Amino acid sequence: MRKSARYSTLAAAGLLALSSLTACANDAASTASTGSGGKGDGKGTKVKIMVGGLDKVIYLPAMLTQRLGYFDAEGLNVELLTEPAGVQAETALVAGQVQGTVGFYDHTLDLQTKGKAVESVVQFSRAPGEVEVVSTKAAGDITSPKDFKGKKLGITSLGSSTDFLTKYLAVKNGVKVSDFSPVAVGAGATFISALQQGSIDGGMTTDPTVATILDKKAGQVLVDMRTPEGSQKALGGPYPSSSLYMQTDWVNGHKDTVQKLVNAFVKTLKWMSTHSADEIAAKMPADYAQGDKALYTQSIKSTLPMFTDDGVMPENGPETVEKVLKAFNTNIQKADVDLSKTYTTEFVEAAR
């Protein structure tokens, strides 16, 4: 049973390199679920999930669920895989390479206009968790999105959610999408390097990249969307972002497996809501801290407000996402998107 919203692209193949953080994520990702994050015993229902950057704090529930042993407890043998950008994770799902994607909910709307039925089955967040930063050198010239004209702005990849949100901030502030240059620079080390070298004047990224930029004094925050308040100010409402989304046909044909996945993720979200950033950081792979546990813990603390504690779609969230995408996405402007088909609360309601 689906509820109304009241409860509520392959691109960037030219990335030069993944960040060192993502490299660590790859090492940890291609393993089956166990409480310790290592290889499982092969028992249980096998599910492959692609994450749009396993080391990113906005997608933290994926690895944390594995580390807490909640997949195992549900009788699942989950393999977590990683891609540097959500749009690439989306492509893996559509191609049938994986059964689920941990990425931004907004892709479900975009895919519907392309004839693909995909739905979010558990909503991790109520805000984007994204931050628009500007380089220290360009800070005097870019004091708001109104100054995007003529600038080079970093995104993870073309067609990604960072691309979507950057375009919206520009259009909302009177700047045409043709007036600035989006540059695919990934996240982590590649994003920071581009910022320091002047390849980009600013860009949109998430923690722990944001925390590292501020620590290195390589840039400063222009627009902070890591909290519901930040989302409201920048986007006009809650913006459900990180989620587990799956092809609707697969969901309908494997409801027992989907329910187990949702049960595990809801347990994690509840656990996160009652534990500190320090306690969460301690559960994550040691490599994610990149030798600076305090900085990594701070990045988690800064992003925690974005997460839901029950996996339910925030009220009016889908409408906000549709409004944002319609501001610049011609496909969605021309389409009559059925929001009720982009998510379901059936499984989170059962999990609660």
Side-chain angles (χ1 to χ4, degrees):
M1 179 179 64
R2 287 175 172 77
K3 298 294 182 180
S4 67
R6 65 189 175 85
Y7 282 109
S8 339
T9 145
L10 245 182
L15 286 177
L16 296 179
L18 301 182
S19 71
S20 58
L21 282 173
T22 303
C24 293
N26 276 316
D27 292 339
S30 56
T31 59
S33 64
T34 69
S36 62
K39 288 197 177 233
D41 58 11
K43 295 179 181 179
T45 303
K46 183 67 181 288
V47 181
K48 288 186 179 181
I49 296 176
M50 186 67 79
V51 185
L54 194 51
D55 59 299
K56 296 176 183 178
V57 178
I58 58 172
Y59 300 140
L60 179 148
M63 178 57 75
L64 183 58
T65 301
Q66 186 183 79
R67 303 285 287 191
L68 290 172
Y70 291 159
F71 290 138
D72 288 340
E74 291 290 333
L76 297 172
N77 183 20
V78 174
E79 184 178 6
L80 296 175
L81 304 168
T82 189
E83 283 283 3
V87 65
Q88 292 159 321
E90 167 202 296
T91 301
L93 177 71
V94 173
Q97 297 170 357
V98 296
Q99 287 75 54
T101 291
V102 170
F104 267 45
Y105 161 74
D106 54 20
H107 290 293
T108 67
L109 279 72
D110 189 49
L111 285 168
Q112 189 181 118
T113 68
K114 299 170 183 175
K116 305 294 182 181
V118 174
E119 62 186 5
S120 166
V121 297
V122 56
Q123 196 62 46
F124 298 164
S125 61
R126 51 191 176 173
E130 300 281 354
V131 177
E132 183 72 24
V133 298
V134 293
S135 70
T136 301
K137 182 179 179 181
D141 296 326
I142 306 176
T143 59
S144 83
K146 294 179 181 179
D147 301 321
F148 282 176
K149 187 174 183 178
K151 300 299 189 293
K152 295 173 292 184
L153 302 176
I155 55 175
T156 52
S157 64
L158 298 175
S160 67
S161 295
T162 54
D163 187 17
F164 293 165
L165 289 171
T166 300
K167 287 176 177 175
Y168 176 73
L169 291 179
V171 171
K172 179 186 176 185
N173 286 276
V175 179
K176 298 177 182 178
V177 295
S178 59
D179 287 342
F180 67 92
S181 302
V183 184
V185 292
T190 53
F191 186 100
I192 296 168
S193 177
L195 198 67
Q196 291 175 319
Q197 294 175 10
S199 300
I200 57 175
D201 301 299
M204 191 167 292
T205 190
T206 61
D207 277 312
T209 305
V210 176
T212 303
I213 289 170
L214 298 179
D215 184 62
K216 290 178 176 291
K217 295 181 171 53
Q220 59 190 51
V221 173
L222 183 70
V223 180
D224 192 339
M225 295 178 285
R226 290 175 290 188
T227 66
E229 294 78 16
S231 178
Q232 179 70 41
K233 182 178 179 181
L235 308 174
Y239 196 92
S241 56
S242 56
S243 65
L244 172 66
Y245 62 83
M246 314 178 88
Q247 296 203 60
T248 302
D249 284 346
W250 198 91
V251 171
N252 292 337
H254 301 81
K255 289 200 172 187
D256 184 59
T257 299
V258 175
Q259 187 64 65
K260 290 176 180 179
L261 284 167
V262 173
N263 289 346
F265 280 125
V266 170
K267 287 178 187 176
T268 297
L269 293 168
K270 290 180 184 294
W271 189 92
M272 288 171 61
S273 71
T274 58
H275 289 75
S276 68
D278 288 280
E279 292 170 315
I280 295 170
K283 290 290 184 180
M284 301 301 287
D287 286 346
Y288 283 22
Q290 287 292 287
D292 195 332
K293 186 176 180 180
L295 190 63
Y296 181 61
T297 299
Q298 179 56 49
S299 73
I300 292 175
K301 184 177 181 180
S302 298
T303 306
L304 272 179
M306 72 175 277
F307 294 106
T308 69
D309 61 4
D310 55 12
V312 176
M313 176 65 73
E315 186 176 0
N316 299 322
E319 288 83 357
T320 303
V321 172
E322 183 180 33
K323 179 198 71 174
V324 166
L325 296 183
K326 274 189 173 181
F328 62 86
N329 187 314
T330 55
N331 288 334
I332 291 184
Q333 287 171 355
K334 297 174 183 177
D336 183 15
V337 176
D338 186 344
L339 293 177
S340 71
K341 293 182 179 179
T342 60
Y343 72 99
T344 175
T345 62
E346 172 185 351
F347 302 99
V348 290
E349 287 173 0
R352 290 194 297 170

